[in-house]
Amino acid sequence: MDILTAARQRHTAKAYDSERRIPEALMQQVYSLLRHSPSSVNSQPWHFIVASTPEGKARIAKAAQGGYVYNQSKIVDASHVIVFCSRIDMDDAHLERLLAQEARDERFRDDAARAGQDAGRRGYVRQHRYGSRDMPQWLEKQVYLALGTALLGAATLGIDATPMEGFDQKILDEEFGLHEQGLASVVLASFGYRSGADFNAGLPKSRLPEEVTFTFV
């Protein structure tokens, strides 16, 4: 499926066929999309927890209770569920890990290029930590770039998906010990194949018209 057709046809699935599994080869492509998502100054401040077993999905579903119980079936019935986590801070260890990986991937012509990349990235970190003081929000924005990449990519592969912010973050963070790892859960996404109960699949897509959405100068 071409990308424009996928964008026009994809929808947020509201119910999943619990008997249908996504082939592993297709999920590997989704994982690759996540790894290759863009991020500001190549910061990659994310971690993804993938649940594909009933036990794994049940752990995530613990966070879909009370006022969030409406999302429980979208978690347990889907083929796969991914917890999108954000780093809480951009510490030196992560910055050094990024720089070392870029060097292994031969992104630097010389030592000056490597030093320039390191200085530039650290400059953005200082700006968001001490200037605008919005470090968590900046890092979460990068995670949402990965979410958008995964949702559109899944549609091109014929996979249905559901992004979910409706869950108890505190429960989920404690379940997976995220704070101890310097992480926090941000958003969930279920992946699978819709069931006949997915009312949203039959509704027409609705978007504001071009003249409202764009300004051309």
Side-chain angles (χ1 to χ4, degrees):
M1 188 185 304
D2 70 85
I3 192 169
L4 186 54
T5 299
R8 287 172 171 162
Q9 292 185 358
R10 66 151 300 279
H11 72 290
T12 295
K14 300 298 184 180
Y16 284 93
D17 183 341
S18 61
E19 300 300 316
R20 291 191 68 188
R21 299 279 301 167
I22 301 172
E24 182 60 25
L26 287 185
M27 283 308 300
Q28 286 296 329
Q29 292 184 58
V30 174
Y31 306 150
S32 185
L33 284 169
L34 288 171
R35 283 190 59 242
H36 290 91
S37 295
S39 61
S40 177
V41 292
N42 200 27
S43 53
Q44 304 172 63
W46 45 54
H47 186 79
F48 309 106
I49 299 173
V50 181
S52 60
T53 64
E55 295 78 12
K57 289 182 287 186
R59 292 182 68 185
I60 296 175
K62 290 179 182 180
Q65 54 183 275
Y68 304 117
V69 71
Y70 59 89
N71 275 331
Q72 199 166 90
S73 63
K74 303 184 191 82
I75 295 171
V76 297
D77 291 341
S79 174
H80 290 66
V81 183
I82 298 179
V83 181
F84 288 68
C85 305
S86 170
R87 296 189 63 81
I88 295 171
D89 193 13
M90 287 285 285
D91 57 19
D92 283 341
H94 186 67
L95 291 170
E96 290 296 335
R97 186 181 304 116
L98 292 171
L99 198 66
Q101 186 63 55
E102 289 166 337
R104 284 192 294 271
D105 292 334
E106 301 181 344
R107 287 187 56 82
F108 307 125
R109 295 186 304 274
D110 49 37
D111 289 344
R114 174 175 175 145
Q117 170 71 350
D118 188 36
R121 185 155 48 220
R122 288 177 184 273
Y124 274 94
V125 170
R126 285 192 300 273
Q127 167 60 31
H128 288 285
R129 181 180 292 147
Y130 303 116
S132 51
R133 299 181 185 179
D134 64 345
M135 178 68 75
Q137 292 83 2
W138 179 53
L139 299 181
E140 287 182 6
K141 288 175 184 177
Q142 315 315 313
V143 175
Y144 276 91
L145 290 177
L147 174 65
T149 298
L151 294 178
L152 184 55
T156 67
L157 298 171
I159 298 171
D160 294 312
T162 308
M164 290 173 279
E165 292 181 317
F167 67 96
D168 191 314
Q169 184 187 49
K170 185 175 185 292
I171 291 175
L172 203 58
D173 289 358
E174 290 179 352
E175 175 67 25
F176 290 98
L178 295 181
H179 291 181
E180 292 77 8
Q181 303 171 61
L183 300 169
S185 58
V186 175
V187 64
L188 310 177
S190 291
F191 298 86
Y193 299 104
R194 62 182 179 265
S195 72
D198 181 12
F199 66 89
N200 204 29
L203 296 177
K205 206 172 189 72
S206 177
R207 293 295 186 269
L208 292 170
E210 182 177 300
E211 58 268 24
V212 174
T213 307
F214 295 92
T215 297
F216 298 97
V217 297

